[in-house]
Each structure stands twice: as C-alpha cells, then as structure tokens.
C-alpha cells in the first residue's frame, strides 16, 4: 500500500516513470510515507544504510558501479545536515543523486517545533539545485508538484550531471495513512537535446504554434518556421509581441475573446501546442488552454535554455535547441491542406467590431491603430495596452 499523501504518490510515480530504480534508504520516522511506498514495490531496489553520512558515499559508489541515477531518502531534523559531506563530494564528482529529504509543514518554520531545522539551506556547492515541494492541498498545488518533481529529476543530468535536493513537507498525521493500492499515472516531462532521438508523431495532428514575445526573426528562422508550418496541419497564433506576420499566422486574440470554452474545446483546441519565445501576455489564450487539467493535448516548449516552462499545465516535452533547428528537423518535403488554419482564419474573419466603441482604451486602439506610421517602434507599457491593441491588426 502507498501513502494517501498526494505529493508522496507523485514523487514515487515519477521515480518509476523516469526509470530511477536504486534507492538508498536512511531509516527514520518522517520519511516513512516514502519508504513504505518503495520498499514493497518491485520496480525499486532498496539499500538500507543507518548512517546518513555513510549512505551518501554509498550512493556515490552505487552510481560509479551502475552508471545510473541514484535516489536517497532521509528523515527530518539533522539528517539532511549529515548528507552535506557526501553531497559535496557528489557535486564535485558530478554524480546524479536525487536527495529526497523531508521536513515538517512550512507553518512550523522558525516556531521551535521539535526536529524542524530548515532543510533547504544547503551550501551552494552541495547540490546543483534545491526543489522545495508545496504541501498539496488542491489541484493547483498538485500541478505545481508534478512540474517540480519532473524538473528535479531532469536536473540530475541537465547539461552536466550532479546531485539535486527534493524536499517534501510532511505532517505528523501523514505518517499513518497508507490506503492507496495503486499509484496515479502522473504526467512525465522529458527534455531533448539536438543529439537525442525525438519521439514525435505529428501525423494527423492539429498543431497550434504560439509565438510569445520575440524579436523580429532572421531570414533563416522565418524560413525554417514557414517550411514546418507548410508541411503540417498547423497554424501560427500571434499577437503584436510576436513580431511575426508570416504565412498561416492569425492574430486570434479577438476570436478567443468571443468564443466559449466549450466551443474552443470542441472545435479549436489543438492536439499539439508548440510554444517559442517569451510570454504572450494573452489572457484569452490562457483562459482557453488552461481550464480542465485532463491531458487533452500535449505541449512542446522550445528554448535554448531548456527551462521547464509549463504555463498551460500540459507540458510533456522541452527541446533545448534553437527553434530554427527544431523546425528544420521536423519539416517535411511536402505541402498539405491546412484545415486547422482555415478553421481559425475563417472564424477570425467573421468577427465584426462596431465602428464606434464607447470611450475606452479599446476605443483609442481602434481609432489609432491604422494611423501608426510604417516602420515605427510601438511600446506597450502595460499589459492592458497590449490586450487592447491586440484586438486590431497593425501593418507588418
């Protein structure tokens, strides 16, 4: 049986799905929810080491022997402090050890609660990064937890290998709740480099490419993007921050502002969402893509920094490559019909804005957007300005 505590279930499920099978256990009390879940699970090989200092060095040796990522788990109080010498060794030896530590609920921070020093104050050369999970009490906390656990596991081997801390808050009441017989299926996020095998299937998929804040593209970037869109059932969602006016693009903010969530889900929702650039600042887009947390579509994010950007709670793949390379690699030597683009552009063109709006920011945008001289630089100083002006087209 597994713990009924949601974030414990998420951690164990993602350890399994990411293929981390060797777990070095330091017996304790506060980490019982984790230990109980893994010690009777045949997907894990567990090693019980009483002393935390010894355990971390044992984990280093285990990696050197197997070449695999290793997880460890210890109790609260000073146990995490005893990990520091071994984690420092792992940091400089570049050994991928996921140190799963536990702490009391954050409400007890600095409140003289027994066995509750701050667990996440490790030296900067002990771990590559520390991830402190929230105590999951609602769906938003669960989604945050899914992202952070994926990110912690991916960080073990991101660019260079090294140890990572993953800290879980545990309540005393959590230590006796083992009522779950099967782990949940948790969304897995993977990161891909240029040299990896990309397991992508875009056949018969509706593809929505969202360009966030972006400087004007180079000829190479624009050509690569347009070649990709030309060969797929795709369209490009833009607003003024995108700085893009190419083929198959639609400034569809006003369309999303007028259709219902049901209509979007039934007719306009993509199978694959691809994002490049920075934030879009587009609330209409957020409100249509985020509602409902079932995996109804996949989100691919492309960025050279490889950051885990899960804006829409659907992220499954991050490509740490220049976006021109991504589109070049996935472009096909073909031209296809574009029913998905035609759906969007037809619906967009059917919208009519009254000639005279009430005095407002939107009215000012309506009156001024055609008067901006070509080759001007336009600065949207606040988000309301962007949202108002995105309802109207500017000259490319």
């Amino acid at each position: 049986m597994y713990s009924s505590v949601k974030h414990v279930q998420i951690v164990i499920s993602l350890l399994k799905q990411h293929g981390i099978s060797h777990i070095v256990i330091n017996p304790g009390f506060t980490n019982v929810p984790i230990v109980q879940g893994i010690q009777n699970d045949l997907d894990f090989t567990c090693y019980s080491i009483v002393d935390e200092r010894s355990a971390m060095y044992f984990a280093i040796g285990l990696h050197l022997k197997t070449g695999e990522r290793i997880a460890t788990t210890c109790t609260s109080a000073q146990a995490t402090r005893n990990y520091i010498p071994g984690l420092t060794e792992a940091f400089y030896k570049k050994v991928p050890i996921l140190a799963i530590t536990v702490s009391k609920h954050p409400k007890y921070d600095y409140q003289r609660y027994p066995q509750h020093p701050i667990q996440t104050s490790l030296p900067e050369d002990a771990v590559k990064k520390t991830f402190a999970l929230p105590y999951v009490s609602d769906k938003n906390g669960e989604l945050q937890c899914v992202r952070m656990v994926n990110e912690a596991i991916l960080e073990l081997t991101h660019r260079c290998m090294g140890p990572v801390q993953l800290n879980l808050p545990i309540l005393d009441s959590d230590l006796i709740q083992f009522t779950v017989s099967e782990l949940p299926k948790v969304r897995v996020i993977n990161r891909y480099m240029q040299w990896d095998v990309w397991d992508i299937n875009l056949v018969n998929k509706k593809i929505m490419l969202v360009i966030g804040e972006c400087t004007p593209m180079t000829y190479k970037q624009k050509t690569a993007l347009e070649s990709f869109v030309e060969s797929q059932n795709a369209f490009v969602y833009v607003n003024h921050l995108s700085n893009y006016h190419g083929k198959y693009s639609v400034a569809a903010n006003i369309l999303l502002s007028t259709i219902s969530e049901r209509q979007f889900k039934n007719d306009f929702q993509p199978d694959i969402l691809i994002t490049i650039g920075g934030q879009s600042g587009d609330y209409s887009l957020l409100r249509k893509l985020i509602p409902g947390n079932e995996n109804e579509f996949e989100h691919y994010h492309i960025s050279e920094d490889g950051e885990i950007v899960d804006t829409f709670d659907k992220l499954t793949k991050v490509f740490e490559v220049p976006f021109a390379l991504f589109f070049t690699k996935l472009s096909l030597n073909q031209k296809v019909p574009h029913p998905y683009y035609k759906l969007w552009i037809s619906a967009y063109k059917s919208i009519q804005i009254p000639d005279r709006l009430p005095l407002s920011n939107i009215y000012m945008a309506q009156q001024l957007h055609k008067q901006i001289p070509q080759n001007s630089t336009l600065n949207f100083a606040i988000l309301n300005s962007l949202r108002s002006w995105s309802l109207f087209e500017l000259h490319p």
Side-chain angles (χ1 to χ4, degrees), residues 250-267:
V250 184
N253 175 280
I254 190 170
L255 172 60
L256 287 188
S257 301
T258 58
I259 62 176
S260 67
E261 290 180 13
R262 179 184 293 274
Q263 186 179 3
F264 176 81
K265 183 176 180 178
N266 291 340
D267 300 328

Side-chain angles (χ1 to χ4, degrees), residues 200 202 272-275 298-302 316-317 319:
I200 298 178
L202 302 180
I272 304 290
L273 170 70
I274 299 175
T275 55
E298 283 193 84
H299 174 198
Y300 302 169
H301 182 61
I302 311 163
T316 56
K317 293 177 174 62
F319 296 88

Side-chain angles (χ1 to χ4, degrees), residues 25-75:
I25 297 172
N26 294 124
F29 188 53
T30 315
N31 62 334
V32 163
I34 300 167
V35 176
Q36 171 74 16
I38 63 177
Q39 65 182 357
N40 296 319
D41 190 315
L42 297 179
D43 285 341
F44 297 111
T45 302
C46 299
Y47 309 82
S48 182
I49 308 292
V50 174
D51 177 65
E52 288 93 8
R53 281 176 58 103
S54 301
M56 190 54 64
Y57 287 104
F58 179 88
I60 292 173
L62 195 57
H63 164 74
L64 296 177
K65 177 68 174 178
T66 65
E68 297 187 24
R69 297 162 296 174
I70 310 297
T72 67
T73 175
C74 67
T75 188

Side-chain angles (χ1 to χ4, degrees), residues 200-250:
I200 298 178
N201 180 14
L202 302 180
V203 177
N204 297 322
K205 303 287 189 181
K206 296 184 294 184
I207 302 167
M208 180 178 185
L209 170 59
V210 174
I211 303 179
E213 185 173 7
C214 192
T215 55
M217 293 184 187
T218 65
Y219 174 80
K220 178 181 178 181
Q221 290 172 327
K222 186 176 181 182
T223 301
L225 188 155
E226 292 185 349
S227 295
F228 169 81
V229 177
E230 188 79 59
S231 65
Q232 306 286 351
N233 181 22
F235 94 102
V236 185
Y237 183 99
V238 298
N239 65 20
H240 298 320
L241 289 186
S242 306
N243 278 306
Y244 180 79
H245 303 86
K247 197 173 182 181
Y248 301 116
S249 66
V250 184

